[in-house]
């Protein structure tokens, strides 16, 4: 209860005749800490932009894979596979690839961020000569919930991106799909 403690200290100072003194919280006392709070919001926006960019790459890649396999769709359709089975085949393939890719990304991300949680990045040389009231070492802070949500989101986007073109391609007649270049 930092605001409550601040108010209590302020009352003690006022009652004790310490008129020239005031109580401030540690976040109020440092401009640099306020900057970090603003920077955290900016980093969130920047991360969101990269996340959306990665989503468009996932969607584009998955859709191109399906469109490039139109002849394969025609072949399996000519062999008797129904449209629903073709869609299921592409969905399961996209699911398997998405699970492997997302798991690889999570493992790689954690392999980088967990050591950085302990070791940190020494920024003291970059901030030399500045009056900073915090450590010059920045530590990573991996979060389990964020990691899990990113994993689920990547898998869901990949599977949805495969469904739309697969449904369209499954409706193409086998003869037309076999003629596709």
């Amino acid at each position: 209860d930092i605001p409550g403690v601040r108010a209590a200290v302020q009352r003690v100072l006022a009652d004790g005749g310490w008129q020239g003194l005031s109580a401030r919280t540690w976040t109020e006392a440092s401009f640099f800490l306020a900057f970090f709070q603003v920077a955290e919001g900016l980093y969130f926006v920047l991360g969101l932009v990269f996340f959306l960019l990665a989503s468009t790459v996932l969607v584009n890649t998955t859709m191109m894979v399906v469109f490039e396999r139109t002849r394969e769709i025609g072949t399996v359709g000519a062999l008797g596979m129904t449209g629903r089975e073709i869609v299921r085949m592409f969905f399961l393939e996209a699911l398997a690839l998405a699970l492997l890719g997302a798991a690889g990304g999570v493992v790689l991300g954690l392999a980088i961020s967990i050591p950085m949680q302990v070791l940190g990045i020494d920024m003291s040389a970059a901030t030399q000569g500045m009056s900073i009231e915090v450590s010059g070492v920045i530590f990573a802070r991996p979060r389990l919930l964020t990691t899990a949500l990113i994993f689920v989101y990547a898998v869901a986007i990949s599977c949805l991106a495969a469904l739309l073109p697969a449904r369209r391609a499954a409706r193409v007649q086998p003869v037309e799909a076999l003629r596709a270049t």
Side-chain angles (χ1 to χ4, degrees), residues 7-168:
V9 170
Q10 189 66 39
R11 281 192 301 274
V12 169
L13 289 174
D15 293 344
W18 300 89
Q19 304 302 334
L21 297 178
S22 66
R24 295 188 302 173
T25 66
W26 63 278
T27 56
E28 294 170 338
S30 174
F31 167 76
F32 200 68
L33 291 174
F35 171 76
F36 273 135
Q37 291 173 342
V38 171
E40 188 172 347
L42 292 174
Y43 290 147
F44 175 78
V45 171
L46 185 63
L48 188 62
V49 167
F50 279 114
F51 202 68
L52 293 174
L53 180 63
S55 297
T56 60
V57 170
L58 273 172
V59 169
N60 184 44
T61 303
T62 307
M63 290 178 76
M64 289 307 299
V65 165
V66 174
F67 285 133
E68 288 176 359
R69 294 172 63 188
T70 305
R71 295 187 90 176
E72 178 185 336
I73 293 169
T75 302
V76 295
L79 291 173
M81 198 175 240
T82 66
R84 184 180 211 139
E85 292 170 333
I86 292 171
V87 170
R88 186 180 313 129
M89 177 183 73
F90 277 100
F91 177 78
L92 291 175
E93 181 179 319
L95 178 64
L97 289 173
L99 287 171
L100 285 172
V106 165
V107 167
L108 182 62
L110 289 175
I112 293 170
S113 64
I114 288 176
M116 297 312 292
Q117 184 178 9
V118 176
L119 301 174
I121 300 172
D122 187 6
M123 299 294 289
S124 57
T127 58
Q128 190 173 12
M130 295 172 61
S131 175
I132 299 176
E133 301 164 2
V134 294
S135 170
V137 180
I138 298 173
F139 296 95
R141 195 173 69 193
R143 297 180 181 152
L144 181 62
L145 179 62
T146 304
T147 303
L149 289 175
I150 290 172
F151 178 84
V152 169
Y153 181 80
V155 170
I157 286 295
S158 296
C159 291
L160 288 175
L163 276 179
L164 299 174
R167 288 183 63 202
R168 186 179 313 147

